[in-house]
Amino acid sequence: MFSYRHAFHAGNHADVLKHMVLLATLKHLTQKDSPIAVFDTHAGAGLYRLDGDYAQTSGEAADGFLRLRTPPAATDAAAKKKAPLILAPALQDYMDMVASFNAKGSHKVYPGSPFIIQRLLRERDKLKLFELHPTDSKTLTANIAQLEAGRQVAVLREDGFEGLKKFLPPPQRRALVLSDPSYEVKSDYGRVVAMIGDALTRFAVGTYAVWYPIIPRPEAHDVPRKLKTLATKAGRSWLQATLTVKNSKITTDAAGEEHRPGLPASGMFLINPPHTLKAALQAALPQMVELLGQDRHAQFTLEAGG
Ligand code: SAM
């Protein structure tokens, strides 16, 4: 049933968007003294080796976070003259976070959402990680065990869509839920929306962050549209950020061979986002377009409401 392995995609442009938004969001939420419960409904393996077989098979990090680290060399005289880009604070925080998992100057390890979250937690905060894939859940358990975080972090080999229900509302009365399904099965699109709808009835004041792919599929387009409707109906604020790095069209070369572009774009939809997030993303997203964009179709959108 499960063929998706995040190790093939670790550090790609979608991870940059997701993890930068996650970091900025949790950094804000942990500024307040009171404890917070964090849930990662689709946690993955936790840590990824960029020099391992999986990551090298696709090399997606090369077109993702590695481009922020080493901007492509300037080719024309005008570009060479341009001052080096100073990264926006949210992007710099993200790059510093990834760097903190690596020896100085190297980039062998990429932290997934569980490790990014865990780094920001205080002793009083709790983290629950759901991962259903037998191998990834075992790897995640082993990776988390090394942190010796005790009862602060729990790995659950359960369906995250269903499993979240029993934890809401959390005793802390403050929560961040990250939902990052693989959308490997078509039903994930509907299930993520249903999960957020249910979660809002249990705990309307939680912060919810959903990653979704932007691909030519009606179910994918429906995700942010339906989440916006849920937020609006519940009277909650929302924010939607998207990043497109290349054309989504399937092209045919001179030999008549079809080329599929791979994931061209993705989005993050948040309900009850931190009030600081929009400004942080307004500074970061144009830089992401500049650094991660692969053709003239590269662009971002940023909208908020409620
Ligand atoms: N959130 C991770 C990160 O940012 O590092 C990446 C997660 S990856 C996109 C999605 C993961 O969800 C995969 O590891 C997959 O095995 C797992 N998965 C798929 N269906 C699931 C379900 N119903 N409940 C929990 N995990 C699931």
Side-chain angles (χ1 to χ4, degrees), residues 2 4 6 15 18-19 40-44 48 112-114 130-133 136 158-161 178 180-182 191:
F2 290 113
Y4 181 93
H6 195 66
D15 264 6
K18 178 202 322 168
H19 293 153
D40 189 344
T41 64
H42 295 69
Y48 304 94
S113 49
F130 298 91
E131 173 53 52
L132 210 44
H133 193 290
D136 279 357
E158 287 176 30
D159 177 356
F161 293 124
L178 169 69
D180 177 26
S182 45
R191 292 191 77 197

Side-chain angles (χ1 to χ4, degrees), residues 7-150:
F8 287 110
H9 311 285
N12 69 1
H13 63 87
D15 264 6
V16 177
L17 175 68
K18 178 202 322 168
H19 293 153
M20 191 251 320
V21 171
L22 169 67
L23 179 52
T25 302
L26 190 53
K27 201 175 157 188
H28 178 85
L29 292 174
T30 49
Q31 271 166 15
K32 206 168 166 181
D33 271 349
S34 46
I36 185 162
V38 186
F39 302 91
D40 189 344
T41 64
H42 295 69
L47 282 177
Y48 304 94
R49 286 206 66 95
L50 294 179
D51 56 354
D53 285 349
Y54 288 122
Q56 274 181 357
T57 307
S58 67
E60 289 189 23
D63 278 337
F65 100 95
L66 288 172
R67 279 196 180 213
L68 303 181
R69 203 170 163 272
T70 11
T75 44
D76 58 64
K80 276 182 185 155
K81 263 197 200 157
K82 242 169 98 177
L85 193 66
I86 295 170
L87 291 181
L91 263 186
Q92 189 60 56
D93 280 353
Y94 161 76
M95 290 306 285
D96 291 346
M97 172 62 84
V98 180
S100 72
F101 285 86
N102 287 283
K104 197 169 190 305
S106 88
H107 48 267
K108 289 187 174 155
V109 175
Y110 187 81
S113 49
F115 276 73
I116 293 176
I117 296 167
Q118 198 277 336
R119 273 284 163 94
L120 292 176
L121 297 186
R122 293 89 37 101
E123 249 179 63
R124 52 194 176 281
D125 303 323
K126 291 266 191 290
L127 171 59
K128 302 247 183 301
L129 304 165
F130 298 91
E131 173 53 52
L132 210 44
H133 193 290
T135 312
D136 279 357
S137 129
K138 233 187 238 167
T139 310
L140 178 63
T141 304
N143 282 335
I144 291 292
Q146 287 184 22
L147 292 171
E148 296 184 1

